[in-house]
Amino acid sequence: MPESEDHPPSAVGSLGPTVRTRPDGGRARVTVSGELGLEAGEDLRAALRTALAGTDDGIDLDLSEVAFCDCSSLNILLALREQALGEGKSVTLRAVSPVVERLLTLTGTLPLFAPAAAERTGDRPEPGVEVVQLRRAMRTRPTIDLARGVLMASFGLSPQDAWEVLVTVSQHTNTKLHRLADGLVAAVEGDPLAEPLRREVAAAVARVRAAGEKRPG
């Protein structure tokens, strides 16, 4: 169904990404283009939530035209997925750009959106592959949650800021999220975190604290 005046694209910020929504049965195809950085923030979150609210079954995201994506935008996608699950809906990926795929793969979150992510090449995974991927993601989740707790206790961070630190360090050091989490948990038990990772963690904590100070009270 082509876009019409009834379903115009919604621009997120003057310099931010553009979000276009197109109904597709009980779902909606949502195409996002541009840069998904911190400045997109709440406007992007609101646009995606609005798209989700207008569907019965959920939304399919096309992120093939996204030129930049950071951990703050990944947080928005994960929160949107969690909201959808709570409403009996789903958020899947129909297409991704290389930068988005790299971030999702690096952080181990790609399997959470895997059912449609595989369609970017026109190939469907073999039966059982998605289940295996999801189970693997679920197995690593407890350690990731423990690592987030370590950061919260060590630096007085909120759950959201602790997650931001984990994803940022994972991305900057090219370290799988679950391996970074393993290292943080092991550090509490007496096995020191590698110095490059320790420096990145400290820098990421400083950044989220600085960002928190700039937020309106």
Side-chain angles (χ1 to χ4, degrees):
M1 172 178 172
E3 292 176 355
S4 66
E5 293 300 320
D6 294 333
H7 303 282
S10 55
V12 180
S14 58
L15 298 177
T18 297
V19 180
R20 294 182 174 83
T21 303
R22 185 178 65 185
D24 185 10
R27 302 182 67 79
R29 170 72 72 92
V30 179
T31 301
V32 182
S33 58
E35 296 191 354
L36 303 186
L38 187 61
E39 69 280 355
E42 292 306 313
D43 289 337
L44 176 61
R45 189 190 309 272
L48 293 176
R49 284 181 173 176
T50 297
L52 180 65
T55 69
D56 294 326
D57 301 325
I59 62 177
D60 300 315
L61 290 170
D62 182 343
L63 306 181
S64 59
E65 298 178 8
V66 171
F68 173 79
C69 184
D70 66 6
C71 59
S72 65
S73 296
L74 173 59
N75 287 337
I76 290 174
L77 295 178
L78 292 172
L80 182 72
R81 176 184 177 276
E82 184 174 352
Q83 177 186 342
L85 291 175
E87 298 174 0
K89 303 177 183 180
S90 64
V91 175
T92 62
L93 290 173
R94 301 289 298 187
V96 292
S97 67
V99 293
V100 174
E101 183 174 23
R102 181 180 181 278
L103 178 59
L104 293 173
T105 300
L106 179 60
T107 57
T109 53
L110 183 59
L112 302 179
F113 302 94
E119 293 180 14
R120 66 185 180 275
T121 61
D123 297 328
R124 290 187 175 274
E126 296 177 3
V129 170
E130 291 172 9
V131 174
V132 171
Q133 290 175 327
L134 288 171
R135 285 177 178 170
R136 184 181 300 119
M138 291 172 64
R139 283 199 302 270
T140 61
R141 186 72 195 188
T143 303
I144 292 173
D145 287 340
L146 280 174
R148 187 164 64 167
V150 167
L151 292 173
M152 291 167 62
S154 299
F155 300 103
L157 302 177
S158 67
Q160 179 75 11
D161 285 345
W163 171 250
E164 185 100 1
V165 168
L166 281 173
V167 175
T168 299
V169 174
S170 173
Q171 186 178 17
H172 285 183
T173 62
N174 201 31
T175 305
K176 293 286 188 180
L177 194 62
H178 69 89
R179 291 180 180 172
L180 173 61
D182 286 340
L184 286 168
V185 172
V188 174
E189 298 171 351
D191 188 5
L193 193 65
E195 183 61 22
L197 288 178
R198 191 196 65 76
R199 287 197 301 267
E200 284 292 341
V201 168
V205 168
R207 283 193 292 270
V208 297
R209 284 176 171 170
E213 292 173 357
K214 294 178 182 178
R215 294 173 193 147

